[in-house]
Amino acid sequence: MTDRQIGRLAEDAVWALCWGTGADSHETIAHAVVAELGAVLEQLVRSKTLCLLAAYLHDHPIPELDRTVTRFLDSTLRTNRYKTYACRVAALTDTAALHTAGVSAVVLGGLSVEHALYASTGARQFSDIDVLIAPGDAERTYAVLRTQGYQPSQNNRTWTRQTGDQIVPLIVFDLATTLPRGGTDDDVPGLLARRAGITVPPHDHPLPILAPSDAVKHTLARLAARPRWALAADAIRQVRATAPPAPHHADVLAGWSVLRSHWPLLPAAPARLPADEELHR
């Protein structure tokens, strides 16, 4: 098998995992994993989607796969679940403290989608907590974060807190007062006013996130600026539930073009996808 063929098998596996549904997904993933496991793992590590495979194989085991590999993937998934839980607890606590101080905030990025799009399985990898606030609330937010035990970087954008936990020794809190390439008019007060909340048992306080229509536009715009498989997986899952409302921002259309470069049979313009849509190449 040539290097080009090996690379194509690995890409096919990532492509099928990111699509997330379809009758032909398992055959594509199983063939790639059995035939070229090393190349597949390398591609997944580079694209930060290794836990996506681990979660998939947890539910759809492949008998031919070596048990050592299966144990490694199971361990990787458990670790990411734990990291996700630790970040979620921190985000819930911190946003509740901000709310008490009169600061509106929404959580962005991987933590904002891991429950709704990936059912808290640990499939979605991320490294920090991204939070959006209004520019006028910055000083109050800094004060709250200090009371929560965080220390700022020089530009006050990144705040960190030591936990004493061997698995998650540091909580990283990335603060934003604008939504660059958000696929919106960067109306932060409007985004915050439309925010939604998701309840993740057993927690009572909801995690504040962007409204679904704002979230899918934001993901597509981020995908246009930085094409990554993890964002493509988010976008595909989001548009199964919410169609980006027209008129479409140029960055949203550019992100949709990135998706169509991998799945050409997607509609020409952003639109909601049927949940049982078959895999297309």
Side-chain angles (χ1 to χ4, degrees):
M1 184 176 291
T2 67
D3 289 345
R4 184 174 181 179
Q5 289 173 314
I6 293 172
R8 180 59 180 271
L9 279 179
E11 184 177 343
D12 284 350
V14 181
W15 165 77
L17 286 164
C18 289
W19 181 260
T21 69
D24 51 354
S25 294
H26 187 73
E27 182 179 350
T28 300
I29 295 166
H31 175 59
V33 167
V34 172
E36 292 298 337
L37 177 63
V40 170
L41 293 179
E42 180 181 0
Q43 180 79 283
L44 293 169
V45 170
R46 289 180 181 276
S47 62
K48 297 183 179 180
T49 53
L50 180 61
C51 289
L52 196 55
L53 175 66
Y56 179 83
L57 292 180
H58 183 269
D59 294 331
H60 305 86
I62 298 173
E64 300 91 334
L65 197 59
D66 187 274
R67 290 182 62 187
T68 303
V69 176
T70 301
R71 286 196 295 268
F72 163 72
L73 291 173
D74 283 344
S75 175
T76 299
L77 185 62
R78 286 195 301 271
T79 299
N80 198 54
R81 283 177 178 168
Y82 183 83
K83 290 178 179 178
T84 299
Y85 175 79
C87 287
R88 188 192 305 130
V89 170
L92 287 164
T93 301
D94 298 337
T95 55
L98 289 171
H99 177 75
T100 300
V103 176
S104 296
V106 293
V107 175
L108 307 170
L111 185 58
S112 72
V113 299
E114 64 84 22
H115 178 70
L117 303 184
Y118 300 91
S120 294
T121 59
R124 181 59 162 87
Q125 295 171 239
F126 57 92
S127 57
D128 49 29
I129 303 170
D130 296 306
V131 175
L132 175 71
I133 61 167
D137 286 336
E139 292 300 328
R140 277 190 295 173
T141 300
Y142 301 160
V144 170
L145 291 178
R146 286 191 173 93
T147 64
Q148 296 295 102
Y150 288 89
Q151 297 296 322
S153 61
Q154 287 185 345
N155 62 3
N156 284 326
R157 175 182 171 84
T158 300
W159 293 69
T160 56
R161 175 171 61 83
Q162 301 285 342
T163 65
D165 189 310
Q166 291 185 342
I167 299 177
V168 188
L170 197 69
I171 296 292
V172 180
F173 194 102
D174 272 351
L175 197 60
T177 55
T178 60
L179 200 60
R181 297 178 298 274
T184 70
D185 295 327
D186 280 355
D187 175 20
V188 173
L191 293 170
L192 294 172
R194 292 191 299 272
R195 68 188 181 277
I198 54 173
T199 301
V200 184
H203 311 288
D204 295 327
H205 179 70
L207 187 72
I209 60 173
L210 290 174
S213 59
D214 290 327
V216 66
K217 290 190 296 183
H218 178 48
T219 300
L220 287 169
R222 290 179 65 207
L223 183 62
R226 190 179 179 188
R228 292 189 300 163
W229 281 113
L231 290 176
D234 290 349
I236 284 293
R237 286 160 174 76
Q238 284 173 323
V239 296
R240 288 200 181 107
T242 305
H248 300 304
H249 189 282
D251 290 339
V252 172
L253 292 174
W256 190 257
S257 294
V258 173
L259 285 185
R260 293 191 75 226
S261 71
H262 298 295
W263 294 283
L265 294 183
L266 287 175
R272 184 171 178 175
L273 304 179
D276 59 349
E277 181 80 7
E278 287 294 317
L279 190 64
H280 294 307
R281 183 78 169 177

